[in-house]
Amino acid sequence: MIPILEFDHLSPGDILNRDIRAEENVDAAVDAVLAEVREKGDAALRAYTKRFDGVDLEDLQVSEGEMEAAWNALDPDFITTLEMAAANIRAFHEKQVHKDFLVTREGGIVMGQRYTPIEKVGVCVPSAPAAFPSTILMNVIPAKIAGVRDIVIVTPPDKDGKISPEALAAAKIAGADKIFKVGGAQAVAALAYGTETVPRVDKIVGPGGIFVATAKRKVFGQVAIDMIAGPSEILVLADGKSDPRWVAADLLSQAEHDVLASAVLVTDSRALAEQVQAELEVQLERLPRRDVARRSIDTGGKIIVTDSLDKAVEAVNRIAPEHLELCVDDPFALLHRVKNAGSIFLGRNAPEALGDYFAGPNHTLPTSGTARFSSPLSVDDFVKKSSFLYYDQAALSPVAERIAEFARREGLEAHARSVLIRNEKGGDAR
């Protein structure tokens, strides 16, 4: 049963008890996978796919025939749902596009900044129990908007060597270029190093379990990554007017993800806390994934009772949750006071699942308290910024001595001379 705790009696360690570091045996296993894939390429991918996914694959890449068959197999109404979600995601992320800027100043000075897309991106898509079409939409669409040239998806196959038709339809709608039937740390290795079939990319994005997260951490530097994601989290801040059934349902929407998922209620109402505690027990019994949700609720869940909404917001900012629901009469009054949260759901009719699938904001979010300093996946994650500047001779000459002095005060004489030499007529820069 989920515990009820008093905020004023909790230490910072009681609140922030999340740790996403891999155990030593995970580190060692991932090191071995990375080395094997780097050395043996496709042969290693096939061996690991047979070992971990139980299928012996000849072709790692999803074919055009498989794409067409998946599309034809789906209910047209669900395809419409995917297209509506994609349109919402696209419309939201198009607002994130930055424009180049140029600054000109008198005397022959030009400077500015330009944005260029990353050329190749790999998207990791988990498979539990089937590849998530929502993950595909949320990762591929911002990359397409940014102008990424090649977008590659990696996801584990099922026991029949197939990818779910829902995932393949989402990939087609989002605009992915290639899909490969490989998952886990071996997929990260393939994207980081390249194999005979899987192209090397410049950046790896997308969620995964501890092996994927550890592999991404280890290949960072060879390639860029989006973030090191921990288990999923939800924090519901609810007042006493909230429906305990709704609150319990929202907590369970994250608890069913993973036994390590974190579901937290913060409330200024002891009565609501007790009602939600009881309601969780009722709803847990109805869930197909109740065993997973039960372990998550019992080991990682908590209800924190505060004596005011002010204290409740303080708890939110300490925890820095991935998903935050503000189930109060006037959520906009609290919005500006929330400093640390990945995605914020305002009001009693905006459940976290709305953001997971349909509304438009990205669902790839900072976890494990990293919302204190990081942000949701966005178009920004798929572009690079380059600054540029131009000075003509007349602009450089008046400031050359000042720059040289600056350089010499840092002990860098060659820096100083590189500026001064441009003021000399065939002589040495002194």
Side-chain angles (χ1 to χ4, degrees):
M1 180 176 286
I2 196 169
I4 298 177
L5 309 169
E6 297 289 339
F7 177 69
D8 288 337
H9 297 160
L10 295 176
S11 70
D14 294 327
I15 295 175
L16 303 172
N17 59 350
R18 295 168 291 184
D19 190 347
I20 62 171
R21 292 175 297 177
E23 297 177 1
E24 287 186 9
N25 61 334
V26 174
D27 264 338
V30 169
D31 283 338
V33 170
L34 295 178
E36 186 87 358
V37 173
R38 192 169 194 173
E39 179 183 353
K40 298 182 179 178
D42 283 354
L45 295 183
R46 291 190 178 93
Y48 282 121
T49 301
K50 184 175 183 179
R51 175 180 171 186
F52 296 128
D53 303 305
V55 60
D56 197 352
L57 292 179
E58 180 65 29
D59 295 320
L60 296 172
Q61 185 174 348
V62 173
S63 68
E64 287 297 325
E66 289 175 291
M67 292 290 290
E68 184 178 354
W71 186 269
N72 293 334
L74 278 181
D75 178 354
D77 192 54
F78 182 67
I79 291 178
T80 298
T81 298
L82 287 175
E83 290 173 337
M84 291 173 66
N88 291 340
I89 295 165
R90 193 172 292 111
F92 181 87
H93 288 80
E94 283 173 347
K95 299 293 185 183
Q96 298 174 340
V97 176
H98 292 286
K99 294 182 178 179
D100 298 352
F101 67 83
L102 184 72
V103 177
T104 59
R105 289 161 49 185
E106 291 183 6
I109 298 173
V110 180
M111 62 187 71
Q113 182 169 279
R114 62 190 293 262
Y115 294 83
T116 55
I118 293 172
E119 290 190 15
K120 298 180 180 180
V121 167
V123 179
C124 296
V125 180
S127 177
F132 295 152
S134 59
T135 297
I136 292 171
L137 297 179
M138 292 288 182
N139 284 266
V140 174
I141 290 174
K144 291 292 288 188
I145 292 170
V148 176
R149 188 186 70 196
D150 295 319
I151 303 172
V152 174
I153 292 174
V154 290
T155 189
D158 64 19
K159 298 297 184 183
D160 296 321
K162 297 180 179 180
I163 308 299
S164 72
E166 293 84 0
L168 296 184
K172 179 177 179 178
I173 290 168
D177 297 293
K178 295 178 181 178
I179 307 169
F180 295 96
K181 302 174 184 179
V182 57
Q186 60 270 26
V188 175
L191 293 172
Y193 308 130
T195 71
E196 299 92 324
T197 301
V198 181
R200 179 178 179 177
V201 300
D202 302 308
K203 186 166 188 174
I204 301 172
V205 301
I210 189 63
F211 288 93
V212 167
T214 303
K216 286 170 68 177
R217 173 172 57 82
K218 288 178 175 291
V219 301
F220 176 65
Q222 300 276 343
V223 293
I225 61 172
D226 52 350
M227 61 185 76
I228 304 294
S232 190
E233 309 163 356
I234 186 171
L235 190 156
V236 179
L237 188 161
D239 62 19
K241 298 178 184 178
S242 299
D243 189 323
R245 298 172 305 150
W246 295 12
V247 173
D250 292 354
L251 293 174
L252 291 172
S253 72
Q254 290 305 292
E256 73 173 352
H257 263 300
D258 185 344
V259 296
L260 298 177
S262 171
V264 177
L265 167 63
V266 178
T267 180
D268 62 348
S269 168
R270 180 79 192 193
L272 179 71
E274 293 173 354
Q275 291 166 349
V276 171
Q277 185 186 53
E279 183 63 28
L280 282 168
E281 296 302 307
V282 173
Q283 293 190 25
L284 267 167
E285 293 306 311
R286 303 171 186 165
L287 290 178
R289 291 173 62 83
R290 59 182 170 273
D291 291 343
V292 171
R294 163 61 69 189
R295 289 181 61 189
S296 170
I297 287 294
D298 288 352
T299 60
K302 58 174 70 79
I303 297 175
I304 299 173
V305 179
T306 67
D307 58 17
S308 68
L309 283 181
D310 287 341
K311 287 275 187 75
V313 174
E314 182 183 339
V316 167
N317 286 326
R318 284 197 201 178
I319 294 171
E322 178 188 16
H323 305 96
L324 170 64
E325 292 185 12
L326 298 179
C327 297
V328 296
D329 284 339
D330 186 3
F332 291 94
L334 296 183
L335 177 60
H336 74 283
R337 297 170 54 195
V338 174
K339 307 300 182 185
N340 303 322
S343 188
I344 305 171
F345 300 78
L346 301 172
R348 306 186 206 279
N349 293 293
E352 182 272 331
L354 176 66
D356 263 359
Y357 300 114
F358 198 77
N362 209 283
H363 79 191
T364 302
L365 304 168
T367 60
S368 304
T370 58
R372 293 178 295 109
F373 51 78
S374 57
S375 308
L377 191 78
S378 72
V379 172
D380 288 348
D381 287 285
F382 300 102
V383 295
K384 303 164 292 176
K385 293 171 282 191
S386 299
S387 59
F388 58 88
L389 62 91
Y390 167 84
Y391 272 49
D392 65 14
Q393 175 81 33
L396 180 63
S397 182
V399 297
E401 291 289 347
R402 294 185 182 278
I403 297 168
E405 181 187 10
F406 210 142
R408 284 166 172 160
R409 286 179 181 269
E410 293 190 349
L412 298 172
E413 180 62 25
H415 279 62
R417 295 187 181 198
S418 73
V419 177
L420 294 176
I421 200 168
R422 285 165 167 77
N423 276 351
E424 299 296 320
K425 301 287 189 185
D428 292 334
R430 301 293 183 180

